[in-house]
Amino acid sequence: MKPFMDKNFLLSNETAQKLYFDYAANTPILDYHCHINPQEIYEDRQFENITQVWLGGDHYKWRFIRSCGVDESYITGNASDKEKFMKWAWCLGKAIGNPLFHWSHLELQKYFGYHGVLNQKTAEEVWDFCNQKLSDPSMSVRNLIRQSNVTLICTTDDPADSLIWHQKIAADDTFDVQVLPAWRPDKAMNIEKPAFPEYLTTLSQVSGVHIHTFADLCKALCVRMDFFSSMGCCVSDHALEYVMYAPASPEEIDAIFEKRLAGNDVTRQEELKFKTAFMLFVGKEYAKRGWVMQLHYGCKRDNNTSRFEKLGPDTGYDCINNYAPSSEMADFLNALAKTDELPKTILYSLNPNDNQAIGTILGCFQDSSAVAKIQQGSAWWFNDHKTGMQDQMISLANLGNLSGFVGMLTDSRSFLSYTRHDYFRRILCNLLGTWVENGEYPDDYETLEEIVKGICYNNAINYFGFDLDLQK
């Protein structure tokens, strides 16, 4: 029997262990997509207890706790932090086969030096042990980032955001980790949402452009893109239910926009036409600016209406959308490519059944402007577990260029989530090591080092165009 989560965790052979310890383990982390709060980085927040750093806002954990039949008061309700932690510890002991079990114990090992098992029996011990550690200045937000060997972070920011905290971080020479904004214009695109007209008012105020037409909206977005670029932004991100391609004439788009601003609802077809025009416009702007376009799709959100009305979005009530938009995706990318305005693009589907479709779409739009210009993003959200990561990388290797993959992202609101990169790297090295051990790839360690370090770090540096001095 192998020891529980020892140094060779997930590394099943000698080659895997060599790849991990020689090349992957000490390679820095580039967090090119996350949801952490830049204000907490600037203020160097010190957490009072492990519940604050571990359970606040983590809908992964909330979903699992609910599945154990726990009352909502211990999840998002008014129970004390200690009571919430105790319930989580009780649930975690039951999480066999769930990545939360591995992630939680990797975090306990990495940041707290605790190598035991957290469950109902050890909860009190772990609560006291971790809280004592958290009281030390070495466990502040900035020091957690430093401990994680992170060199650069891209947050997720609305076009109307002042980016004041990014400005403050950039002016602070005591913190040497770059924290850059990433452009997330969902509110400007979601014409069907009740808050859309109100959002346009806000966007008008911050951009100085009075928005009465679609052309005005595009002008306001360009003003804000210029501002984001001045703050180092070179990455966009979009949350889509699915990728649509419903082209329409400029006159149709103007009529749809005018209808919505007049306070009327739009039809589903009108919504899709508007969103298509919106995405084509911003895609061309990204290409002009050299930005990377990230498309996250395949999620059906806020399915439990009563819970959504009480708790709001991002509280654990989303699921996989079974619609596979391979034809629409190809048509959308082609509409940009045929005028040579297709930016570097990363495709993430929440539906693992889309892996092969994405893999074939990538090959249709690669060119010499970048290595793996069109990327399949890492296994995302419900798929960032051992099986999901393996399947995504195997599919990418089978149908495309795994060696050019930009690798893992954190996609988290927690400052302890950087151990997910370690989890990913172990799975990557075990996959490659197994291929070598099986005689499916030679034991060419010079090339293997380049591949491993590339996927872990260097490919992202080159792909996004970050400071090359960071390359390892």
Side-chain angles (χ1 to χ4, degrees), residues 259-311:
K259 176 182 178 181
R260 185 69 185 91
L261 287 191
N264 300 310
D265 292 336
V266 295
T267 66
R268 181 63 166 163
Q269 189 61 24
E270 288 171 335
E271 174 193 336
L272 297 181
K273 287 181 177 181
F274 176 81
K275 289 182 175 180
T276 298
F278 183 98
M279 290 301 303
L280 289 172
F281 167 74
V282 294
K284 293 175 181 180
E285 288 297 322
Y286 301 155
K288 185 187 304 182
R289 289 170 164 76
W291 285 16
V292 173
M293 177 169 67
Q294 297 183 94
L295 304 179
H296 285 87
Y297 62 93
C299 179
K300 186 174 185 300
R301 298 177 185 272
D302 307 321
N303 295 288
N304 189 326
T305 304
S306 62
R307 290 295 187 179
F308 170 73
E309 291 173 350
K310 183 177 181 180
L311 301 175

Side-chain angles (χ1 to χ4, degrees), residues 110-175:
K110 166 78 174 177
Y111 298 106
F112 299 96
Y114 182 82
H115 291 268
V117 178
L118 174 57
N119 53 34
Q120 186 177 17
K121 293 180 288 187
T122 61
E124 191 77 36
E125 168 195 341
V126 174
W127 171 260
D128 292 337
F129 181 81
C130 290
N131 290 347
Q132 182 179 3
K133 290 273 188 178
L134 283 169
S135 66
D136 191 278
S138 66
M139 296 292 280
S140 69
V141 160
R142 292 191 182 191
N143 285 320
L144 288 172
I145 293 171
R146 292 186 181 104
Q147 288 181 51
S148 303
N149 200 15
V150 177
T151 59
L152 187 146
I153 295 169
C154 291
T155 58
T156 308
D157 307 278
D158 184 87
D161 196 297
S162 69
L163 302 184
I164 183 62
W165 301 109
H166 292 85
Q167 294 177 33
K168 288 177 177 290
I169 293 169
D172 184 355
D173 59 9
T174 66
F175 188 55

